[in-house]
Amino acid sequence: MREFDLVVFDWDGTLMDSTAHIVNAIQQACRELALPVPGREAASHVIGLRLAEAMGQFCPGEHAGKLPALVDAFRRHYQADLDRVTLFDAARGTLDAIRAKGVFVAIATGSSRAGLERALAAAGIAELFDATRTVDECHSKPHPDMLLQLTDFFGVAAERAVMVGDTSHDLLMASHAGCHGVGISHGAHDCAELTRCQPRAIVHSLPELSSWLLPRLG
């Protein structure tokens, strides 16, 4: 029996192996503006949020006026060497196997629309997704807007959708939307943080995700 009709993926840190690149861009941007440079854990925690909201974590109080410059600096450092950032090895095979089950496949990401479109084009997998949602047309995670828009678009009940992501923001979004959540630990947030969100499962790689998910797709 099929349990899910819609599988939604986060992008950065879930399908795209970009966590280290994003963390480095945050650290470089803070250093450039003489702001305290966050460690990896603090920098990776904001991955998945709307950019201005994420960068705002690193220029509080008297530094708040530096936010526009910090956002610009992050974008510059993020774009540098972006062509070296690649999909996780099993990403395409995982997506192909899920699509072969006849379910809808989508993306819900904290990236901008332009950023996601560039990344999909560079990766050559845009055709593997039936729909995508970004912070340019939705509220930022963990607000449920992205998932609610996607379930409405496909006419799928929330309990028939599953969100796969590497952060607590993804899993809390799923919970708020009434969808199922599966955490994947190879990205930004560790297993302990993912576990606190009480997902249906936590997997450690895309092949492990396939082993858990494919039998539930009929």
Side-chain angles (χ1 to χ4, degrees):
M1 293 288 292
R2 176 181 291 175
E3 186 174 348
F4 306 120
D5 299 312
L6 169 62
V7 181
V8 184
F9 285 91
D10 170 57
W11 181 250
D12 286 300
T14 298
L15 293 173
M16 180 67 79
D17 189 6
S18 51
T19 299
H21 184 73
I22 295 171
V23 167
N24 180 66
I26 292 171
Q27 293 171 330
Q28 292 282 78
C30 288
R31 191 172 292 115
E32 179 180 317
L33 288 155
L35 291 166
V37 178
R40 184 199 180 280
E41 183 176 354
S44 63
H45 182 76
V46 304
I47 293 174
L49 300 176
R50 187 186 301 271
L51 181 55
E53 180 183 349
M55 293 300 101
Q57 305 296 310
F58 307 117
C59 51
E62 73 262 26
H63 301 299
K66 292 186 175 183
L67 178 57
L70 185 61
V71 168
D72 288 342
F74 169 81
R75 285 181 172 139
R76 280 189 283 103
H77 289 291
Y78 177 76
Q79 290 297 327
D81 298 322
L82 187 57
D83 57 342
R84 298 183 183 180
V85 180
T86 61
L87 295 170
F88 283 102
D89 288 343
R92 181 180 287 274
T94 299
L95 293 167
D96 284 338
I98 292 170
R99 288 187 63 84
K101 292 289 190 175
V103 299
F104 297 116
V105 182
I107 288 174
T109 176
S111 297
S112 67
R113 170 57 58 188
L116 177 62
E117 296 297 338
R118 283 195 300 269
L120 286 172
I125 61 169
E127 74 282 359
L128 299 183
F129 301 99
D130 300 299
T132 60
R133 291 294 184 274
T134 76
V135 291
D136 283 349
E137 54 266 356
C138 302
H139 291 291
S140 181
K141 301 172 185 178
H143 192 285
D145 191 28
M146 291 187 198
L147 288 177
L148 294 177
Q149 285 198 28
L150 287 167
T151 53
D152 183 64
F153 178 77
F154 291 113
V156 171
E159 63 269 19
R160 302 282 297 176
V162 58
M163 174 74 203
V164 181
D166 67 306
T167 72
S168 59
H169 314 307
D170 299 310
L171 300 181
L172 289 172
M173 176 177 64
S175 178
H176 295 161
C179 300
H180 300 274
V182 173
I184 188 163
S185 68
H186 63 196
H189 291 184
D190 62 24
C191 282
E193 189 161 6
L194 298 176
T195 299
R196 284 194 287 271
C197 299
Q198 299 182 311
R200 278 285 303 275
I202 294 177
V203 298
H204 306 293
S205 66
L206 289 170
E208 189 176 336
L209 172 68
S210 293
S211 296
W212 185 89
L213 183 58
L214 292 177
R216 292 169 169 82
L217 299 182

